[in-house]
Amino acid sequence: MRQVTVETHISAPREDVYDFVADLAARPAYTDHYLEDYRLARVDPVGKGAAARFKLRGQWAELSIKDADRPRRVVEEIRWGRRARNRSVAVYDFSPESGRTTRVELTMLSEPATVIDRLHEFGAARWMKRNAKIALERLRMSFEEPPGKPLARATVAGYEPAKAARFGAATGMDPARRSELGAASPRELGQ
């Protein structure tokens, strides 16, 4: 796919727009019209290292934030296709305009791994440009004309807060096996 660039102007401070885009849990609020089955891949959805999985044109893709320079830029790497061998890059640039207006520019570039993958991308540039323009318009609307109900958010698949690690204990730790902590277990004491 050739390089695709879309942009919009949002009447909000640059830092607020950056924080919203850098939070992958908030991504379904403006991209759910073309990303299906969106879920977080890691518990921390904000900033560098955050990741998410979704279906894009019927194929699973994984997005991860490779660079986050607050409040100027977010660089995302997207791996998709068979064995995630195809790579794409999405770069969000945030620049302040006059007043409290922010200019958001989204640039996308894709690199198919094989000739067959290149054939699958036929028409993808036009499709991505249209959907990215809609997504940026929905992003603008979420700031300028917020809906009456809360915006959609994604969660980690299978994550249950009640079963999360607490008080410094490792996930899945068995209190009966205290030998990992340096104390004798009840089995070692002959009980």
Side-chain angles (χ1 to χ4, degrees), residues 9-17 94-103 144:
H9 290 81
I10 301 175
S11 296
R14 178 168 69 156
E15 292 79 13
D16 293 348
V17 178
F94 308 95
S95 55
E97 296 287 323
S98 62
R100 292 173 48 115
T101 304
T102 302
R103 179 176 169 265
E144 295 178 3

Side-chain angles (χ1 to χ4, degrees), residues 10-111:
I10 301 175
S11 296
R14 178 168 69 156
E15 292 79 13
D16 293 348
V17 178
Y18 172 88
D19 290 340
F20 192 74
V21 171
D23 181 9
L24 292 183
R27 195 63 58 98
Y30 60 97
T31 60
D32 63 354
H33 62 283
Y34 72 103
L35 301 182
E36 301 171 11
D37 294 333
Y38 188 93
R39 63 189 69 149
L40 298 176
R42 298 193 180 108
V43 177
D44 186 15
V46 180
K48 188 174 180 179
R53 288 182 51 87
F54 52 87
K55 277 189 176 178
L56 180 66
R57 294 181 78 177
Q59 294 184 1
W60 280 103
E62 182 165 329
L63 173 142
S64 61
I65 296 180
K66 291 298 177 189
D67 188 29
D69 183 19
R70 187 174 195 272
R72 291 185 279 281
R73 173 179 285 197
V74 174
V75 178
E76 301 171 345
E77 180 185 33
I78 304 156
R79 298 182 68 90
W80 54 276
R82 186 176 182 187
R83 296 185 181 168
R85 64 185 172 200
N86 301 311
R87 297 172 137 195
S88 297
V89 175
V91 179
Y92 287 89
D93 283 314
F94 308 95
S95 55
E97 296 287 323
S98 62
R100 292 173 48 115
T101 304
T102 302
R103 179 176 169 265
V104 179
E105 181 179 275
L106 172 59
T107 304
M108 296 169 289
L109 178 66
S110 180
E111 183 180 314

Side-chain angles (χ1 to χ4, degrees), residues 130-183:
R130 182 179 66 242
N131 284 302
K133 187 67 177 167
I134 293 169
L136 287 184
E137 181 63 22
R138 290 180 68 190
L139 176 65
R140 185 188 66 77
M141 295 295 284
S142 65
F143 279 96
E144 295 178 3
E145 299 174 20
K149 59 182 181 175
L151 295 172
R153 289 189 60 85
T155 59
V156 176
Y159 178 72
E160 296 179 30
K163 294 184 179 179
R166 297 183 291 280
F167 310 114
T171 304
M173 185 186 146
D174 184 7
R177 295 179 48 215
R178 297 187 52 131
S179 60
E180 297 171 357
L181 299 175

